[in-house]
Amino acid sequence: MKVLLVEDDPVQAMIISRFLHQSPELEIELEQVGTLGAGIDRVKQGGVDLVILDLNLPDSDGIHTVRRMHATVEDLPIVVLTGEKDDELAYFCIGEGAQDFVSKDGLTPKALMRSLRYAKTRMKENVTLKCMVRELAETKARMEELAVQDGLTGLLNRRGL
C-alpha cells in the first residue's frame, strides 16, 4: 500500500514511519511531504492509496486542511492524524470527507494500522455504493423512458400520450 504522509514535523514523521514499518501484515511504501500544497500536488500525480494528513501545516490549518485535500481527491481515503483531542473537530473532519480522526497522543502501531485498514475498506465501500446509486439512477431513467415509449418505434405509447 502506497501511503502519503502530509506532516511538517520531521520527528512525528519519523515516529509514524517506524509505526508503519512495524506492521507484519501490510507492506507499506511511505512518502512524506511537509505542506498541504505539496501533498495535493503529489496525489494529483496518482499512485497513492491513502493519505495520512496532519491538520496543522505551514500552509493550512484545521478543518480547511481536510476540505482542501478532500476536494482534490474525493475517492482517496484520508486519515487525519493530529495532536488535537477535540471530538467536535473530529466530527467535522469526518463530515468533510476524512475516513478517520486519530490523535497522536498515545498512538500505537497497532492502532494506526487498524485505522488505515478500516479507512481503506470504508472508502472502497463508499465507492461501490456510489457506483450502485449511479447505476440505479440510470436504470430508473431507462425504465421511465420505456414506460412511455413504444419499444419498436420509439414513439410515445398510450401512457406517454
Side-chain angles (χ1 to χ4, degrees):
M1 178 168 39
K2 179 95 177 196
V3 176
L4 177 66
L5 173 61
V6 184
E7 170 66 64
D8 62 326
D9 183 353
V11 174
Q12 288 293 326
M14 184 176 64
I15 291 169
I16 294 165
S17 176
R18 284 187 184 156
F19 281 3
L20 292 176
H21 290 104
Q22 287 179 7
S23 171
E25 63 244 21
L26 281 178
E27 188 169 324
I28 304 275
E29 185 179 334
L30 182 67
E31 187 174 338
Q32 191 253 334
V33 295
T35 64
L36 181 61
I40 288 172
D41 290 343
R42 177 59 190 92
V43 296
K44 283 181 179 177
Q45 294 172 10
V48 175
D49 298 316
L50 187 137
V51 175
I52 300 175
L53 183 65
D54 185 18
L55 285 185
N56 298 315
L57 298 165
D59 58 343
S60 183
D61 66 343
I63 193 74
H64 304 292
T65 306
V66 177
R67 283 183 186 146
R68 287 178 55 199
M69 180 60 80
H70 183 68
T72 303
V73 288
E74 286 188 22
D75 292 335
L76 193 63
I78 299 170
V79 174
V80 174
L81 186 63
T82 183
E84 299 182 37
K85 288 184 177 180
D86 184 351
D87 289 339
E88 189 171 326
L89 180 61
Y91 175 77
F92 285 125
C93 286
I94 300 296
E96 291 295 330
Q99 291 296 317
D100 204 355
F101 184 95
V102 181
S103 176
K104 292 176 186 175
D105 295 339
L107 184 67
T108 64
K110 186 176 180 178
L112 180 59
M113 291 309 298
R114 183 180 65 236
S115 177
L116 299 185
R117 277 195 308 272
Y118 290 175
K120 191 160 171 97
T121 301
R122 280 191 301 269
M123 182 55 71
K124 282 182 185 177
E125 290 171 356
N126 286 345
V127 169
T128 301
L129 183 60
K130 285 180 185 177
C131 288
M132 291 172 67
V133 167
R134 185 176 47 250
E135 288 175 9
L136 183 61
E138 290 169 0
T139 302
K140 180 180 178 239
R142 180 68 180 138
M143 295 295 287
E144 288 172 352
E145 182 181 292
L146 290 173
V148 296
Q149 287 182 349
D150 179 69
L152 182 61
T153 64
L155 298 174
L156 291 177
N157 62 16
R158 228 184 322 174
R159 184 177 291 125
L161 292 172

